[in-house]
Amino acid sequence: MTLKRIFLFLLTVVTILFSGSTLLGSLNKPQFQSELELYQTNIVLLATEWQPSDNDENLQSTKKAILGVKPLNGALKQYEEARTSAKTNLENAQKQLELLPSESTDVIPTSKSQSDIPPVNNVSSLVKQKQLQQTSNRLQESIAELNIRIGIIQARQGNSDTAMETWQQVQKNSSINPQLRETSQTLIGLWQKSPRVSEDAELLIKDNLKGWFRYSALEKTYQIQQNPEYLNNIKVIEQRAAEEALLKLTAIAILPVLGGFIGITLLIFTFGQWIIKRKEALLARNAEVRWITPWDGETILQVFVVGFFLMGQLLIPLVWQFLPLPSPDGNVRLEALYILLRYILLASGSLLVLYLSIKQFLPLGEDWFRFRLRDGWLLWGIGGYCAVIPIFIVVSLINQQLWQGQGGSNPLLQTVLESQDNLALLIFFSTAAIAAPLFEEFLFRGFLLPSLTRYLPVWGSILVSSFLFAAVHLSLSEVLPLTVLGIVLGVVYTRSRNLLAPMLVHSLWNSGTLLSLFLLGSSTN
């Protein structure tokens, strides 16, 4: 075994251990989908306050069709499910914390000179204890925030007594942010039988509540204070926000509904054609045609372990730390630019390693890394995007039940959701909808999938490359949905034999996600 092979073997082991530990570590992190659903619930609640100026029955019917007959009931159910999930995760974190003291006593110093040095197991336990304590604190804060909002929904439904009990749960927790307890106390004062308004009620409401919850609490405050001017002003502001929320909610719903309908039609037609025609069907096109791969598994490992892992996870982050760049410190434009630059560096490094690894095999056959503008790629791309929508919806529902709100997510999604800077969003779009599809499809569908056909059938290569595509995102909760997305991308590429097709699917998918996040975030914030 040569020195190069030994190094590659050791680096592969490190890659597997690092990726595995990172995936397992994401288990205790919140899943973004859960928060996204609450954002959508918040925009629905805000939209319920919209009232047509002329009480047009058609507009009222349209509103009911979009929001449902009893949106408050649906919102309450969504928030209660989120609270139940948070409580379960809190119990799990606390149980793990209880087990740690017994684990930390396993290693005893072997000599007097070592007595002042903390044993490795003790240090590991302390780190784990700190992480679990942080998770526990975050979950307690989250439960308190959920209880505050749940109480407001209950109060708006006319269940003031139930709302009082919900807010009192916040009062009992002394370990949370004092402002949350003060806010819950303020809300108790507003909705109790003999209502009263504290001196800092308005400030607490504005600081700790957003959207529909803020408007509801402020309206109640001004009603008690008998302040018609402030009450009318807040209602006018709420009407404008509600109308905007309803329009954005409609925009968010139209694309998935329309695309999903087309996707279901395409899936039924495609599978129906495959059942009837088999090998002559569109789905069977190139289904068994492998690529002629001149390199072996060692080259595949070299590209991914050296190019993707070593460059992306070690060298580039190390070099980045020594660059004389100003810290973002809340500057979302700078943060967006840094994310784009780091991604370009990762892509450039990986593609350089790819080129050097296969340079000796050039020129390649015409079916490798194929880009053709006149080859039906546009239809394959749009069709693949529509087909993935209904599949992804079903898989996401299963995934939510599987991970119960945990499993981590791409941190970029949260940043986009909370950002309302147009230039920053444009930079995020450049990263997610242009750079990522070009690089990831070139690497996973252009190189990895065809390379695997040297050892596996085409369908097996699609499955393996899709799983690896999902795993490198390093979030446990994203493995299943991204594997499914990868399968669709793989099918589109193997059938079309044109990299432009999966690149278009990938770009449309990321673009749709970013647009939805922007609309949801702008309505809530």
Side-chain angles (χ1 to χ4, degrees), residues 262-329:
I262 296 172
I264 291 171
T265 305
L266 280 173
L267 289 171
I268 293 171
F269 169 77
T270 305
F271 280 104
Q273 186 194 47
W274 179 74
I275 290 170
I276 296 170
K277 294 187 175 182
R278 291 290 178 177
K279 291 186 178 181
E280 296 179 8
L282 192 65
L283 198 61
R285 178 182 174 185
N286 296 322
E288 298 178 4
V289 180
R290 300 187 186 191
W291 278 260
I292 298 173
T293 307
W295 49 79
D296 57 14
E298 184 178 326
T299 302
I300 301 172
L301 271 178
Q302 182 173 295
V303 170
F304 274 86
V305 173
V306 178
F308 201 82
F309 175 76
L310 186 64
M311 295 289 290
Q313 300 297 332
L314 296 177
L315 294 182
I316 291 174
L318 188 64
V319 170
W320 188 267
Q321 297 230 351
F322 290 98
L323 294 177
L325 298 171
S327 174
D329 289 332

Side-chain angles (χ1 to χ4, degrees), residues 55-71:
N55 288 321
D56 189 310
E57 290 186 7
N58 292 329
L59 290 176
Q60 291 285 7
S61 299
T62 303
K63 176 184 169 183
K64 285 183 180 180
I66 296 171
L67 304 179
V69 180
K70 295 181 178 180

Side-chain angles (χ1 to χ4, degrees), residues 13-73:
V13 172
V14 172
T15 302
I16 293 170
L17 291 174
F18 174 84
S19 302
S21 64
T22 305
L23 281 168
L24 289 174
S26 69
L27 185 60
N28 291 324
K29 295 179 181 178
Q31 190 181 143
F32 179 71
Q33 183 65 27
S34 302
E35 189 165 348
L36 188 60
E37 287 176 356
L38 291 184
Y39 264 79
Q40 190 154 348
T41 299
N42 293 344
I43 190 175
V44 168
L45 285 170
L46 186 54
T48 58
E49 300 300 323
W50 179 71
Q51 295 297 332
S53 55
D54 53 359
N55 288 321
D56 189 310
E57 290 186 7
N58 292 329
L59 290 176
Q60 291 285 7
S61 299
T62 303
K63 176 184 169 183
K64 285 183 180 180
I66 296 171
L67 304 179
V69 180
K70 295 181 178 180
L72 285 182
N73 290 353

Side-chain angles (χ1 to χ4, degrees), residues 62 77 127 201 252 307 313 352 368 454 492 506:
T62 303
K77 181 181 178 183
V127 171
I252 291 169
Q313 300 297 332
L352 176 62
W368 280 93
R454 173 169 178 156
V492 167
H506 200 151

Side-chain angles (χ1 to χ4, degrees), residues 239-405:
Q239 275 299 298
R240 289 177 191 161
E243 183 177 357
E244 185 180 337
L246 190 62
L247 290 173
K248 289 180 178 179
L249 198 62
T250 304
I252 291 169
I254 283 176
L255 189 60
V257 169
L258 183 61
F261 176 76
I262 296 172
I264 291 171
T265 305
L266 280 173
L267 289 171
I268 293 171
F269 169 77
T270 305
F271 280 104
Q273 186 194 47
W274 179 74
I275 290 170
I276 296 170
K277 294 187 175 182
R278 291 290 178 177
K279 291 186 178 181
E280 296 179 8
L282 192 65
L283 198 61
R285 178 182 174 185
N286 296 322
E288 298 178 4
V289 180
R290 300 187 186 191
W291 278 260
I292 298 173
T293 307
W295 49 79
D296 57 14
E298 184 178 326
T299 302
I300 301 172
L301 271 178
Q302 182 173 295
V303 170
F304 274 86
V305 173
V306 178
F308 201 82
F309 175 76
L310 186 64
M311 295 289 290
Q313 300 297 332
L314 296 177
L315 294 182
I316 291 174
L318 188 64
V319 170
W320 188 267
Q321 297 230 351
F322 290 98
L323 294 177
L325 298 171
S327 174
D329 289 332
N331 187 331
V332 71
R333 292 184 180 182
L334 204 55
E335 184 179 358
L337 182 61
Y338 286 174
I339 290 172
L340 176 59
L341 290 177
R342 282 198 298 267
Y343 195 88
I344 290 172
L345 286 173
L346 165 63
S348 301
S350 298
L351 293 177
L352 176 62
V353 173
L354 170 60
Y355 171 73
L356 294 175
S357 299
I358 65 173
K359 182 181 177 181
Q360 60 181 308
F361 304 105
L362 299 177
L364 300 173
E366 63 172 12
D367 57 344
W368 280 93
F369 305 109
R370 181 187 289 177
F371 293 87
R372 288 187 178 179
L373 292 175
R374 299 180 181 179
D375 199 17
W377 64 274
L378 193 61
L379 291 175
W380 275 105
I382 295 173
Y385 170 68
C386 291
V388 81
I389 292 174
I391 298 172
F392 204 87
I393 289 172
V394 174
V395 171
S396 294
L397 292 173
I398 296 170
N399 203 52
Q400 277 290 94
Q401 294 300 314
L402 185 64
W403 297 112
Q404 294 295 314

